[in-house]
Amino acid sequence: HPGSATIKLASEDPPPIVTLTALTATASEAGTIPGRFRIRRADQVSVPLTVYLTRTGTATPGTDYPAFPLTVTIPAKAYFTDILITPVNDILPEGPETITLALKANTAYTRGTPSSATVTITSDDPRPTITVTASRPTASEAGLATGKLTFTRTGSTAYALTVAYTVTGTAT
């Protein structure tokens, strides 16, 4: 028919599926191995995609590793972006500390699986060793001879250390 037209409406594409993984799940304080999170989208790479994150864990941003924003953008024409975790090399002997990131819900994307990941920071600082010796093992009740315990610390002395100890025996 002349003078008429047909319009066909295209269906809207569903939002891209986004996943979050820890490519390098252990980071060393010695600086030789940074941790690496990867945020990946499955499709729709023609435009940038902003992804929102939450952060939990025992490591402290700004103290144990440089703080970073909880919003990342996967650039146009890219399937992923990475977040590097370079631990701060402090002098404190400490146990492993964690950083856990998770994808926040957002209408711009669908959270896929996995949607959270953890990087563990390992310390390169050895724990000190404390030894105790009875440098004067004999004491008298009259106070003429006093006993003496000596605590010896090996390892770094660059920070304060509190030692908890218990005294046992038959003396009252």
Side-chain angles (χ1 to χ4, degrees):
H1 238 179
S4 66
T6 303
I7 299 174
K8 190 172 188 177
L9 298 175
S11 64
E12 187 176 311
D13 290 332
I17 296 171
V18 177
T19 58
L20 171 62
T21 57
L23 287 185
T24 308
T26 303
S28 166
E29 248 186 30
T32 55
I33 305 170
R36 181 184 304 260
F37 289 103
R38 177 160 287 173
I39 297 98
R40 176 183 290 277
R41 62 174 156 185
D43 51 15
Q44 298 182 23
V45 297
S46 61
V47 295
L49 176 65
T50 300
V51 177
Y52 302 90
L53 307 166
T54 62
R55 174 178 38 220
T56 58
T58 57
T60 304
T63 300
D64 295 313
Y65 61 93
F68 55 86
L70 294 176
T71 302
V72 296
T73 299
I74 302 174
K77 301 181 183 173
Y79 282 96
F80 63 87
T81 191
D82 290 345
I83 298 172
L84 288 178
I85 304 296
T86 304
V88 172
N89 192 6
D90 58 25
I91 60 169
L92 301 174
E94 50 203 349
E97 297 174 292
T98 60
I99 306 157
T100 300
L101 295 182
L103 299 172
K104 277 181 100 172
N106 192 278
T107 57
Y109 53 85
T110 299
R111 288 181 292 180
T113 303
S115 62
S116 67
T118 300
V119 167
T120 301
I121 298 173
T122 59
S123 179
D124 65 341
D125 302 301
R127 292 188 182 271
T129 302
I130 306 299
T131 56
V132 62
T133 56
S135 47
R136 283 197 309 253
T138 305
S140 69
E141 286 186 15
L144 301 175
T146 56
K148 181 178 180 182
L149 299 176
T150 301
F151 292 83
T152 305
R153 171 185 184 171
T154 58
S156 175
T157 58
Y159 56 92
L161 177 67
T162 301
V163 177
Y165 65 95
T166 304
V167 177
T168 61
T170 57
T172 57

